[in-house]
Amino acid sequence: METKVSGGRAVATDPGLEELRGDCARMAPHWVVPATKAPAPVPPSRIHGVTIPSASVRLIADMSEYGD
């Protein structure tokens, strides 16, 4: 974060995009996530007892423009 002096006191300013990108690049090595094996997909025949409210079904159906 950058600081500017205004009226004899330091005032923090919002960081710019380049400063934020630099901060992220420096911190990225600290965020190492251990590799894990992805769980196997569950066949649809094993999924039972799930109910979806009709309002949610309509919401998802309306989102068809976002991909298949």
Side-chain angles (χ1 to χ4, degrees):
M1 183 172 286
E2 188 179 329
T3 57
K4 292 183 180 180
V5 177
S6 174
R9 62 188 181 106
V11 178
T13 60
D14 290 332
L17 181 58
E18 289 302 316
E19 185 178 351
L20 289 172
R21 291 173 81 185
D23 290 346
C24 291
R26 283 189 296 281
M27 294 176 71
H30 300 286
W31 296 334
V32 176
V33 178
T36 59
K37 194 174 184 180
V42 176
S45 62
R46 293 197 54 206
I47 300 173
H48 55 86
V50 176
T51 57
I52 301 171
S54 58
S56 296
V57 172
R58 284 193 304 273
L59 174 68
I60 293 170
D62 289 343
M63 296 177 66
S64 62
E65 66 189 66
Y66 295 105
D68 272 309

